[in-house]
Amino acid sequence: MMESYSWLRFKHALATNTKAIVVACVVVALFTTTMLMTGFVTDASALSPLADDDEVTSFHAASVEQHATVTVRNDTDAYADGETLRDASLYPRQNASDPTVNASATVDRGSLDALNVTLTYTATRAAGDGSGFYEKDVVVATVDRPRSSANVSADLPIEDVFETRDDLEAEFGDGVSVSVSIATMATYSYETPTGRTVTRTIETGGAIEPVGQLYALPTGSDRATHRTGPSPDANGGVSPFANWLAIVALLSSLVFGVATVVSDRFIDADDVAREIQWQRFRDWVTEVESYTPQGDVNTVEVTNLNDLVNLAIDTNRRVLFHRPVEEYIVVENDVMYKFTPDVGEDAGSTELFGLRKEDLEETEFPNFENFEAAESRERPGD
């Protein structure tokens, strides 16, 4: 099966540029390895198989929790006296103590800067887009500089909360509703490998809503995990695509470099060059086993096959390939134009068996559809 022209060119490039290709592959492999191992250009720990997989050095995490406890004071149909309700879906407004809100936060491999439990009253116009136009924060409990962990608790006067909400609605008048929420927020910081300090916040909570003689008080937890690489907030983020691209480039350079070295042992540049030459001009060449000039014939040496084919087209002749002596011949009257491929040791360095380097480019060759010979002569037999 005949190999395609493009594949032949690729094989010839491999055979004649092996050292340059291998050097380029080594440079790419070294550069991408440096990127992945040191974090130069990309985050060394993100998506990198060469990074440290130990969570202690690769991650830092922060968590925050909010809980509520209510004690029932009298027996009811639903609750018994002295019963403790913790993180329930609903709490009674009567015959029960004010809820005690317990909040906690921890930070791994970082510093917990502050822990706050805050009530927020938000006023919203019914006819508007739903966004609040008034907001009031009331800090219920706080801890400053708690280091790596902290716990705080506070009794929440639930009836005062609803009364304040009602007072605000009355103050703003018709068409305004006021909602109240409670949230536990932790502020923490950590240091990146480059020595820069990054500060973040994490919170949990939600709305406090009356439901008849009951009310809902949000509880829950949240956790944030971050790699210890450069902060996205500081430099616009390091795209994971950059690391994947580096990994692909590393593997590709290794595979291509090894394949180039191996293929160089099995590819004969001279044979490939002959096949390239044959495929380029085969439409104008007739292969013959023998040829004997008749009468007195003047022999003219042509320097390359491209010119010989052009001469054949101009004179409406065929190019004869005399295989036993590796000669291409065009006979015009008593003149024999001859081209003998250079198959010496330097073949392929300055010339590709007589085919000049500029002839290897995708220029107008006789067997391409866009070729027009001198004086617009057509190929013989067309």
Side-chain angles (χ1 to χ4, degrees):
M1 182 177 178
M2 184 178 295
E3 296 178 292
S4 70
Y5 175 72
S6 298
W7 175 244
L8 289 171
R9 281 178 59 98
F10 177 74
K11 288 173 62 176
H12 188 265
L14 286 181
T16 56
N17 299 280
T18 302
K19 292 183 179 179
I21 294 173
V22 171
V23 170
C25 290
V26 170
V27 171
V28 172
L30 291 176
F31 180 70
T32 51
T33 301
T34 302
M35 287 172 57
L36 293 169
M37 295 187 66
T38 66
F40 176 66
V41 178
T42 64
D43 179 2
S45 62
L47 301 176
S48 173
L50 302 179
D52 189 354
D53 290 332
D54 184 2
E55 182 174 337
V56 174
T57 57
S58 297
F59 292 89
H60 94 84
S63 61
V64 63
E65 297 183 7
Q66 179 176 290
H67 303 282
T69 304
V70 171
T71 302
V72 178
R73 290 175 177 169
N74 300 299
D75 289 332
T76 66
D77 293 338
Y79 307 105
D81 184 19
E83 183 179 354
T84 299
L85 305 178
R86 176 181 169 83
D87 295 346
S89 57
L90 294 172
Y91 303 93
R93 293 181 63 174
Q94 304 296 331
N95 298 323
S97 66
D98 287 330
T100 299
V101 177
N102 300 289
S104 63
T106 59
V107 176
D108 302 331
R109 297 171 295 283
S111 175
L112 183 60
D113 301 327
L115 176 63
N116 299 310
V117 180
T118 306
L119 278 171
T120 301
Y121 298 89
T122 304
T124 306
R125 293 187 179 89
D129 58 1
S131 61
F133 67 90
Y134 170 85
E135 192 172 276
K136 177 183 178 181
D137 292 331
V138 178
V139 177
V140 177
T142 184
V143 178
D144 292 326
R145 306 302 301 175
R147 296 189 178 178
S148 61
S149 64
N151 294 277
V152 66
S153 64
D155 293 332
L156 184 65
I158 193 65
E159 291 303 323
D160 290 345
V161 171
F162 290 131
E163 184 177 339
T164 300
R165 187 204 64 173
D166 295 339
D167 290 343
L168 288 172
E169 285 186 345
E171 180 181 344
F172 289 121
D174 295 338
V176 174
S177 62
V178 177
S179 61
V180 58
S181 62
I182 187 170
T184 298
M185 176 183 291
T187 302
Y188 61 99
S189 60
Y190 62 94
E191 194 171 277
T192 67
T194 59
R196 187 174 57 84
T197 300
V198 178
T199 300
R200 298 178 182 271
T201 61
I202 183 176
E203 66 176 83
T204 186
I208 302 175
E209 300 177 348
V211 184
Q213 294 301 311
L214 305 172
Y215 65 91
L217 182 64
T219 57
S221 62
D222 196 9
R223 179 177 175 84
T225 303
H226 308 283
R227 291 186 182 272
T228 56
S231 169
D233 295 340
N235 55 18
V238 177
S239 171
F241 176 74
N243 261 307
W244 283 117
L245 185 62
I247 294 172
V248 172
L250 172 60
L251 297 177
S252 300
S253 62
L254 293 176
V255 172
F256 192 66
V258 172
T260 300
V261 174
V262 172
S263 63
D264 183 56
R265 298 183 177 183
F266 299 96
I267 298 176
D268 189 325
D270 293 349
D271 289 342
V272 175
R274 289 190 186 95
E275 184 61 24
I276 290 175
Q277 196 175 58
W278 176 256
Q279 287 202 22
R280 277 179 174 264
F281 302 109
R282 62 186 176 183
D283 289 339
W284 287 268
V285 177
T286 298
E287 186 174 345
V288 296
E289 287 297 330
S290 63
Y291 176 78
T292 303
Q294 300 296 321
D296 295 331
V297 176
N298 296 319
T299 301
V300 176
E301 295 285 346
V302 180
T303 58
N304 60 82
L305 183 57
N306 182 56
D307 287 345
L308 186 66
V309 171
N310 284 333
L311 188 148
I313 293 173
D314 292 342
T315 58
N316 198 23
R317 302 290 182 179
R318 294 289 293 174
V319 177
L320 303 180
F321 177 48
H322 192 191
R323 178 169 292 281
V325 293
E326 290 285 324
E327 289 181 345
Y328 291 87
I329 302 167
V330 173
V331 178
E332 169 67 10
N333 297 327
D334 59 348
V335 179
M336 183 175 69
Y337 299 92
K338 182 176 67 173
F339 165 68
T340 303
D342 180 5
V343 293
E345 294 181 356
D346 295 332
S349 57
T350 57
E351 289 186 355
L352 180 61
F353 298 101
L355 186 64
R356 297 166 300 185
K357 282 190 174 182
E358 55 266 28
D359 295 331
L360 284 174
E361 305 298 328
E362 293 295 342
T363 53
E364 295 181 352
F365 282 90
N367 61 330
F368 283 78
E369 294 181 357
N370 61 348
F371 179 81
E372 294 182 4
E375 299 181 6
S376 302
R377 296 190 183 218
E378 297 180 352
R379 296 183 320 195
D382 284 352

